[in-house]
Amino acid sequence: MRVFLCSYSSFTMAVPIDSVSSITIFREETGKKIEYNSENGNTYISLPLLFDCGAEKIKHGIIIKNTAEMKIDYSAENRFILLTTEIESETNISDASIFSVPKNLGVTKFAHCFSSIIFNNNKEGLILLLNPLQLVKNIQKELIK
């Protein structure tokens, strides 16, 4: 599986490339976990704030592909943009190194964003595989409340 890797202080996040529409540099400041822009309908999700890593600097915006499951339109607007630390690399992760998130971690809100744990002997150490679709569904539920 091809992924983008973004490092945080205590873990590395892997974002599946097949869920990414495009990437952008993000230079603005944000103090909110979730910010909705009513002008273009985009929803910005600050992953450092969502993961309680507020000291981490946001460098990139990862624009998630629209899918039928998201129940949003397919225009250039109304997108979900994940604000994250710098995308450090693109790599291929073998299926043999990908393991499901343990069920006892599933009770934490944090774990609902990730589909798998990847144990890697390289410098990245623990890698968590983001589930962008599940994250977007959780955010949509929060926005409706």
PDB file of all heavy atoms in Angstrom, residues 92-105:
ATOM      1  N   ASN A  92       5.993   2.667   0.314  1.00  0.00           N
ATOM      2  CA  ASN A  92       5.153   1.499   0.151  1.00  0.00           C
ATOM      3  C   ASN A  92       5.255   0.667   1.426  1.00  0.00           C
ATOM      4  O   ASN A  92       6.360   0.393   1.894  1.00  0.00           O
ATOM      5  CB  ASN A  92       5.608   0.681  -1.060  1.00  0.00           C
ATOM      6  CG  ASN A  92       4.579  -0.327  -1.482  1.00  0.00           C
ATOM      7  OD1 ASN A  92       3.386  -0.074  -1.401  1.00  0.00           O
ATOM      8  ND2 ASN A  92       5.042  -1.466  -1.945  1.00  0.00           N
ATOM      9  N   ILE A  93       4.118   0.282   1.991  1.00  0.00           N
ATOM     10  CA  ILE A  93       4.096  -0.540   3.194  1.00  0.00           C
ATOM     11  C   ILE A  93       3.527  -1.898   2.804  1.00  0.00           C
ATOM     12  O   ILE A  93       2.448  -1.974   2.200  1.00  0.00           O
ATOM     13  CB  ILE A  93       3.248   0.121   4.302  1.00  0.00           C
ATOM     14  CG1 ILE A  93       3.896   1.437   4.717  1.00  0.00           C
ATOM     15  CG2 ILE A  93       3.075  -0.814   5.481  1.00  0.00           C
ATOM     16  CD1 ILE A  93       3.128   2.216   5.742  1.00  0.00           C
ATOM     17  N   SER A  94       4.231  -2.942   3.172  1.00  0.00           N
ATOM     18  CA  SER A  94       3.774  -4.285   2.818  1.00  0.00           C
ATOM     19  C   SER A  94       2.588  -4.695   3.685  1.00  0.00           C
ATOM     20  O   SER A  94       2.506  -4.326   4.856  1.00  0.00           O
ATOM     21  CB  SER A  94       4.901  -5.303   2.978  1.00  0.00           C
ATOM     22  OG  SER A  94       5.154  -5.532   4.346  1.00  0.00           O
ATOM     23  N   ASP A  95       1.686  -5.446   3.095  1.00  0.00           N
ATOM     24  CA  ASP A  95       0.500  -5.910   3.811  1.00  0.00           C
ATOM     25  C   ASP A  95       0.869  -6.752   5.028  1.00  0.00           C
ATOM     26  O   ASP A  95       0.147  -6.776   6.015  1.00  0.00           O
ATOM     27  CB  ASP A  95      -0.414  -6.710   2.882  1.00  0.00           C
ATOM     28  CG  ASP A  95      -1.075  -5.828   1.825  1.00  0.00           C
ATOM     29  OD1 ASP A  95      -1.130  -4.601   2.024  1.00  0.00           O
ATOM     30  OD2 ASP A  95      -1.528  -6.379   0.800  1.00  0.00           O
ATOM     31  N   ALA A  96       2.010  -7.416   4.981  1.00  0.00           N
ATOM     32  CA  ALA A  96       2.434  -8.282   6.086  1.00  0.00           C
ATOM     33  C   ALA A  96       2.772  -7.493   7.349  1.00  0.00           C
ATOM     34  O   ALA A  96       2.744  -8.044   8.448  1.00  0.00           O
ATOM     35  CB  ALA A  96       3.636  -9.120   5.663  1.00  0.00           C
ATOM     36  N   SER A  97       3.073  -6.206   7.219  1.00  0.00           N
ATOM     37  CA  SER A  97       3.428  -5.398   8.399  1.00  0.00           C
ATOM     38  C   SER A  97       2.254  -4.589   8.939  1.00  0.00           C
ATOM     39  O   SER A  97       2.418  -3.818   9.877  1.00  0.00           O
ATOM     40  CB  SER A  97       4.599  -4.476   8.066  1.00  0.00           C
ATOM     41  OG  SER A  97       4.225  -3.552   7.064  1.00  0.00           O
ATOM     42  N   ILE A  98       1.070  -4.760   8.359  1.00  0.00           N
ATOM     43  CA  ILE A  98      -0.117  -4.006   8.770  1.00  0.00           C
ATOM     44  C   ILE A  98      -0.990  -4.895   9.653  1.00  0.00           C
ATOM     45  O   ILE A  98      -1.366  -5.991   9.274  1.00  0.00           O
ATOM     46  CB  ILE A  98      -0.919  -3.523   7.548  1.00  0.00           C
ATOM     47  CG1 ILE A  98      -0.048  -2.622   6.667  1.00  0.00           C
ATOM     48  CG2 ILE A  98      -2.180  -2.794   7.989  1.00  0.00           C
ATOM     49  CD1 ILE A  98      -0.688  -2.218   5.352  1.00  0.00           C
ATOM     50  N   PHE A  99      -1.319  -4.375  10.864  1.00  0.00           N
ATOM     51  CA  PHE A  99      -2.130  -5.109  11.829  1.00  0.00           C
ATOM     52  C   PHE A  99      -3.314  -4.254  12.267  1.00  0.00           C
ATOM     53  O   PHE A  99      -3.202  -3.031  12.366  1.00  0.00           O
ATOM     54  CB  PHE A  99      -1.296  -5.482  13.064  1.00  0.00           C
ATOM     55  CG  PHE A  99      -0.136  -6.368  12.727  1.00  0.00           C
ATOM     56  CD1 PHE A  99       1.106  -5.825  12.412  1.00  0.00           C
ATOM     57  CD2 PHE A  99      -0.285  -7.738  12.697  1.00  0.00           C
ATOM     58  CE1 PHE A  99       2.171  -6.638  12.083  1.00  0.00           C
ATOM     59  CE2 PHE A  99       0.782  -8.566  12.376  1.00  0.00           C
ATOM     60  CZ  PHE A  99       2.014  -8.017  12.062  1.00  0.00           C
ATOM     61  N   SER A 100      -4.434  -4.889  12.558  1.00  0.00           N
ATOM     62  CA  SER A 100      -5.625  -4.171  13.015  1.00  0.00           C
ATOM     63  C   SER A 100      -5.351  -3.476  14.342  1.00  0.00           C
ATOM     64  O   SER A 100      -4.549  -3.949  15.150  1.00  0.00           O
ATOM     65  CB  SER A 100      -6.798  -5.135  13.206  1.00  0.00           C
ATOM     66  OG  SER A 100      -7.157  -5.699  11.976  1.00  0.00           O
ATOM     67  N   VAL A 101      -6.043  -2.356  14.558  1.00  0.00           N
ATOM     68  CA  VAL A 101      -5.955  -1.656  15.840  1.00  0.00           C
ATOM     69  C   VAL A 101      -6.573  -2.570  16.899  1.00  0.00           C
ATOM     70  O   VAL A 101      -7.675  -3.086  16.693  1.00  0.00           O
ATOM     71  CB  VAL A 101      -6.710  -0.307  15.782  1.00  0.00           C
ATOM     72  CG1 VAL A 101      -6.755   0.362  17.147  1.00  0.00           C
ATOM     73  CG2 VAL A 101      -6.066   0.616  14.758  1.00  0.00           C
ATOM     74  N   PRO A 102      -5.879  -2.805  18.025  1.00  0.00           N
ATOM     75  CA  PRO A 102      -6.454  -3.657  19.074  1.00  0.00           C
ATOM     76  C   PRO A 102      -7.816  -3.139  19.535  1.00  0.00           C
ATOM     77  O   PRO A 102      -8.019  -1.931  19.643  1.00  0.00           O
ATOM     78  CB  PRO A 102      -5.427  -3.572  20.208  1.00  0.00           C
ATOM     79  CG  PRO A 102      -4.155  -3.190  19.533  1.00  0.00           C
ATOM     80  CD  PRO A 102      -4.555  -2.330  18.369  1.00  0.00           C
ATOM     81  N   LYS A 103      -8.745  -4.059  19.784  1.00  0.00           N
ATOM     82  CA  LYS A 103     -10.109  -3.688  20.150  1.00  0.00           C
ATOM     83  C   LYS A 103     -10.168  -2.823  21.399  1.00  0.00           C
ATOM     84  O   LYS A 103     -11.007  -1.941  21.496  1.00  0.00           O
ATOM     85  CB  LYS A 103     -10.975  -4.923  20.329  1.00  0.00           C
ATOM     86  CG  LYS A 103     -11.238  -5.639  19.034  1.00  0.00           C
ATOM     87  CD  LYS A 103     -12.190  -6.783  19.212  1.00  0.00           C
ATOM     88  CE  LYS A 103     -12.252  -7.551  17.926  1.00  0.00           C
ATOM     89  NZ  LYS A 103     -13.493  -7.613  17.301  1.00  0.00           N
ATOM     90  N   ASN A 104      -9.269  -3.038  22.368  1.00  0.00           N
ATOM     91  CA  ASN A 104      -9.319  -2.231  23.584  1.00  0.00           C
ATOM     92  C   ASN A 104      -8.929  -0.776  23.330  1.00  0.00           C
ATOM     93  O   ASN A 104      -9.286   0.100  24.102  1.00  0.00           O
ATOM     94  CB  ASN A 104      -8.472  -2.835  24.700  1.00  0.00           C
ATOM     95  CG  ASN A 104      -7.019  -2.975  24.331  1.00  0.00           C
ATOM     96  OD1 ASN A 104      -6.652  -2.859  23.166  1.00  0.00           O
ATOM     97  ND2 ASN A 104      -6.192  -3.254  25.311  1.00  0.00           N
ATOM     98  N   LEU A 105      -8.249  -0.487  22.245  1.00  0.00           N
ATOM     99  CA  LEU A 105      -7.979   0.902  21.877  1.00  0.00           C
ATOM    100  C   LEU A 105      -9.166   1.526  21.161  1.00  0.00           C
ATOM    101  O   LEU A 105      -9.256   2.739  21.053  1.00  0.00           O
ATOM    102  CB  LEU A 105      -6.747   1.007  20.979  1.00  0.00           C
ATOM    103  CG  LEU A 105      -5.400   0.779  21.636  1.00  0.00           C
ATOM    104  CD1 LEU A 105      -4.300   0.887  20.595  1.00  0.00           C
ATOM    105  CD2 LEU A 105      -5.164   1.742  22.768  1.00  0.00           C
TER     106      LEU A 105
END
